[in-house]
Amino acid sequence: MSLYMSPKYKEQVLDRKRWFEWDYKWFWGSFAWVLHRLSGWALVFYLLLHIWVIHHLSRGPAAFDQVMQAVGTPLFKVLEIGLWGVIVYHAFNGMRVIIVDFWHGSKYQKQLFFIVLFLFVVLWVGGGIIMALHMIH
Amino acid sequence: MKATFKIFRYDPDKDKKPYYKEYTLDVEPNTVLLDVLNDIKWHYDGTLTFRRSCAHAICGSCGMTINGKNRLACQTLIKDLDTSKPIKIEPLKSYPVIKDLVVDMNKFYEKMFKVKPYLVNDNPPPGREFLQTPEEQKLIDEAYSCIWCGCCTSSCPSFWADDDYLGPAALLKAYRFIFDTRDTLTEERLRIVNDADGVWRCHVIFNCVEACPKEINITEYISRLKLKVVTSKL
Amino acid sequence: MIHFHYHDVIIVGAGLAGTRAAVEVAPVADVAVISKVFPTRSHSTAAQGGAAAVLNNNLKRGVDTWLLHMFDTVKGSDYLADQNIVEYFAKEAPKAIIEMEHWGTPFSRMPDGRISQRDFGGHQRTRIAHAADRTGHALLHTLFEQSIRLGVKYYPEFFVMDLILDEEEGDYVVRGVVAYDIRTTELHIFQSKAVMLATGGGGRIYKITSNAHEYTGDGFGMIYRKGLPLQDMEFPQFHPTGLYPLGILITEGVRGEGGYLINSKGERFMERYAPDFKDLAPRDVVSRAIYTEIMEGRGVGPKKDHVLLKIDHIGKDAIMEKLPEIWKFAKTYTGVDCTKEPIPVMPTMHYMMGGIPTHHETGEVVADVGPDGEVSKVVKRLYAGGEAACESLHGANRLGANSMTDTIVFGRRVGKHMVEILDTIKIKDLPEDVGKEQEEKIKAILSRNSGEKVSKLREELQETMWENVSVFRTEEKLIKALDKIKELQERYKNVYVEDKSTTFNMELKEALELENMLNYAEALVASALFRKESRGAHSRVDYPNRDDEHFLKHTLAFKQEGKEPLIKQRNVVITRFPPQERRY
Amino acid sequence: MSFKSSGNSGAFAWFYQRITGIFLFVILLLHFTIMHFTGTGEITYENIVGRLSDPYWKMLDLSFVVFALYHGLNGIWMAIQDYVRSEGWRAVIYTILVLVGVFLFFLAAVTLIPFGLK
Ligand SMILES: Cc1cc2nc3c(=O)[nH]c(=O)nc-3n(C[C@H](O)[C@H](O)[C@H](O)COP(=O)(O)OP(=O)(O)OC[C@H]3O[C@@H](n4cnc5c(N)ncnc54)[C@H](O)[C@@H]3O)c2cc1C
Ligand code: HEM
Ligand code: SF4
Ligand code: F3S
Ligand code: FES
């Protein structure tokens, strides 16, 4: 590089870099991204589990019913409601990201994020109630 | 009105570790933060060190992290800050610290240079200016106004995690030339940004836009770059 | 530890003038640029309005010619400019601007794609090429970027303390410079065949200024301390429209785009002072007018100490497109939305017309003049350019937008000249003790534990200059200022710093800057005392008229240790336009 | 294999992450609605096998698996590149991701394809 740097000075600097700056101000964009990342990873692990469960179909009805029983407990049902929330968030925020990247949505990214949050709450609560009702039946 | 400023201090000549020092002084709501720092330096503590020059947000010297947000001290007024608590002033995040609020920006500059930040036009120059319509000029109008303050790159979580990421400022610079109708080095520039540590490390987090003192919509331009890369044959 | 470097060409200052010269030299020789701030932080980046050049892209006010540009400049200068220099300038300006465009400057455009031009004070034609209201930024970044392409070496955050001078065949000759690395406080000796000083102006000797904190006239100080002359220093320019109360610049482009000034009665008062040019009269005229309005009680605000600049009538869209930065300054620092209300303004110290005198042909620094007023001695291979230099383009008053063009036209000329002579030069060894003096100086400042505070002395200087040596001057006030400066110089000998660190010691740098400021402030006041007339930016209440018989001459001020500065006069070159009364 | 070359720059990953995202948006919401909100979705062996015998459902579910696997694992790969700097580790993780993807696709394929073909 064409900028002169004294060798002495190189030794002196204080490196305070961290992989994530926790005390940096949290803007909506960072919230959106952190949640997107977490939800994406959660979905992948669910997907792995899901494929493994469904794969029991090929071992016949008995095997399938057996695992369905294991994952059919109330605990899993409640977790499923959580899964629904994760899906809704990831899906709608994913669309927000796509709109920003493909269709010049950057100017409206905050508004888009509020819409995502709104839909997330409405659909999660709405869907959650329906699922809870199914559970009780 | 009284306000307290909690300032990051570190002098490699005598300090093993950085620490914070508090200064309480009289300010007006309309006082510019840079003037507060000058006031401290000139009247209370001559050892306080920071960069500054123009005093009106055009030279890009005085970028620092103020109450957890990157901005220019000379563009921040006391009334923009919450004075009920000490106002925390740190050197820009994630760059190495030389002393107090002065950071080493060499890495930042290196990246600026990496994208070949200069117009290249292989055509023989006409006897007059290259023509460029106002619409074509508008494409780069906002992008060229970057003042190299480094606030954006220092605020980007992708950069925190990945030192080698070109970062928003360098990508903006690349955009400024790729979308300049006079430049002919487009393909090579696109190759440079199309790198594992290039444009793809941007996850549209928008911290850069929030930090940019010139209010440049950096993310928009990065997105346009991404689209340009995937739609070009490289 | 002392470091040695050799480069064919050393340029001190990475503003427009310095980088322009570097770009010229880089293809043929090894060139290094030393700057006390990172190059893009140089003050040129703050220039807003635009750069003047005859391009004839906007014929709104008629066809333009270089002769008209020359005439406007000479008239603006109150006939003190050297007309051979102005002619060269006016003819070269279009080429220089077009060159900048080819290198990528993002100029604003006309609908047909040519560079857009606007009006400015004192210019009869629409000739100001601009990039919105951040032209300096656009030009400086272009030059810096091109210099990176050409591999120019930079020494950023290096403070140049002194020139290394020597004598050769009756002339002085420059051998290099002594600098220190601000980051480590290590001394660096730079040896070279040629040196250019492009250190910019020094508005920081005044309390209220549009200039950067780093604008401390180090080039002036370096020259003056060596016993070399400074020229026409009595002409600092006060820009009429500094944002009240901070002094941040509100570009003349605002008036160029149709803005005008009003007083507390709502009168458009410039009509009275300059019936033809009105608000677009040159800066000295407008600043005096504002001061007169204020003195006569028509100022606005509780203290009646400023006036208003109205621009809202051109419409929000036009403001946002042509003056986006101005809108933001006003909004941020005063809360005024200039699309709705007028901006509070007052004159602010802005520019140094005077500076380091240069030879009209070679561009080398002038060391002395003979009794006939002609140059008798130069410093060979030492060049000056930009605001630091006084090629004598601006005379007693600079026209807005001529300065940026000045930096690139003369930066280019210096570069070309260096390229021509480089091959013929043999390098000589530097003296054994080079750098010792500077090392001692730094040590002395760092080792003193009590005495005078840098900031205290500087504030007293700024106060004195603002009170006594601003727009209107009198003998009495000037003598007061000179005495004060003498006192401050004495006290400076005992200056100390609290910061003893050898890493990025800003206080040490401020101490060294202060030494320079105290020096050229002395030259400024002494020159102003000497000039017993009113001309351009120099208004003596006690001598209200122009006196061509005695003072159609440049002033050269030489430092004399322990005595008042020595003043000599240098001839003004008049080729085409004999002096006339100056009316606007 | 270099994990930094322009061939593997991330352009492809970025673009198809979005394309698959759009597809998943439609199909995943549809899938969840059918399975959990409408009455049709009682999860029993018969129910599912019945639907899987329909070739259209089979196609849809298969592509769903492919897209979801690609999108999910590709997403992880994108995030890994943010945090893992070493070329070696990147290569190891990439390989693991590919293997996981292939294995799960195999599991899903042997489950979905045979139904109704007997
Ligand atoms: C707010 C403002 C607006 C302006 N608007 C206009 C306009 O619209 N049109 C116009 O024509 N002109 C304008 N001007 C004037 C014009 O911008 C300047 O005169 C011009 O840019 C000066 O350029 P320069 O190259 O001489 O110096 P600068 O750009 O100031 O560069 C000085 C350089 O010298 C270096 N330096 C100084 N001292 C030392 C030292 N001791 N050691 C090492 N390096 C040193 C600095 O680091 C810097 O790099 C404006 C000025 C101001 C203040
Ligand atoms: C429902 C519709 C979906 C949409 C619109 C969508 C959209 C997106 C987009 C645009 C990204 C890229 C984000 C970035 O570049 O930063 C992404 C990342 C990701 N997605 Fe999805 N996605 C969807 C469903 C899924 C599913 C079902 C999974 C799980 C298998 C998943 C897992 C991931 C993962 C792991 C990432 C990476 C996140 C990261 O760490 O950055 N997504 N998604
Ligand atoms: S883009 Fe904005 S924040 Fe980033 S360096 Fe440029 S001006 Fe500063
Ligand atoms: S904060 Fe970083 S991730 Fe992209 S949008 Fe800005 S560069
Ligand atoms: S001092 Fe120039 S940007 Fe703040």
Side-chain angles (χ1 to χ4, degrees), chain B residues 34 51-62 72-75 147:
Chain B
L34 181 65
R51 287 195 182 99
R52 85 275 182 276
S53 185
C54 70
H56 62 277
I58 188 70
C59 74
S61 304
C62 66
L72 298 178
C74 67
Q75 206 183 29
I147 58 174

Side-chain angles (χ1 to χ4, degrees), chain B residues 108 146-152 169 172 212-214 218:
Chain B
F108 176 83
C146 164
I147 58 174
W148 294 45
C149 66
C151 288
C152 52
L172 183 73
C212 179
K214 302 315 278 181
I218 308 165

Side-chain angles (χ1 to χ4, degrees), chain A residues 33 36-37 40-41 43-44 47 87 90-91 94-95 97-98, chain B residues 202-203, chain D residues 14 17-18 21-22 24-25 28 68 71-72 75-76 78-79:
Chain A
W33 166 71
H36 194 81
R37 180 151 282 190
W41 285 66
L43 287 177
V44 169
L47 181 69
I87 288 177
H90 189 93
M95 287 314 285
V97 168
I98 292 169
Chain B
C202 169
H203 303 292
Chain D
W14 176 85
Q17 187 72 352
R18 274 138 189 83
I22 296 173
L24 285 172
F25 185 79
L28 175 62
H71 179 98
I76 287 188
M78 286 165 76

Side-chain angles (χ1 to χ4, degrees), chain B residues 61-75:
Chain B
S61 304
C62 66
M64 46 189 81
T65 307
I66 300 163
N67 276 350
K69 181 189 170 183
N70 290 350
R71 22 169 147 197
L72 298 178
C74 67
Q75 206 183 29

Side-chain angles (χ1 to χ4, degrees), chain C residues 52-55 64-74 83-96 127 393 402 405 409-410 577:
Chain C
V54 177
L55 298 175
D64 203 1
T65 64
W66 66 263
L67 200 64
L68 267 179
H69 190 184
M70 175 177 172
F71 174 73
D72 289 346
T73 305
V74 171
Q83 296 187 10
N84 49 355
I85 287 287
V86 185
E87 182 167 335
Y88 175 82
F89 164 81
K91 284 179 175 166
E92 293 294 312
K95 280 181 235 166
R127 65 165 76 100
L393 167 65
N402 266 357
T405 316
V409 166
F410 291 98
F577 304 112

Side-chain angles (χ1 to χ4, degrees), chain B residues 100-116:
Chain B
D100 292 355
L101 302 174
V102 177
V103 291
D104 170 17
M105 307 247 308
N106 274 307
K107 242 200 157 130
F108 176 83
Y109 297 140
E110 238 169 62
K111 291 186 179 139
M112 287 306 229
F113 296 163
K114 227 184 213 162
V115 300
K116 298 190 186 273

Side-chain angles (χ1 to χ4, degrees), chain C residues 11 38-39 45 117 123 130 157 258 290 311 340 342 414 437 502:
Chain C
I11 295 173
F38 183 77
T45 197
Q117 292 183 285
H123 293 276
H130 60 98
E157 302 191 322
I290 293 177
I311 183 68
K340 299 202 185 87
V414 167
E437 182 194 336
T502 57

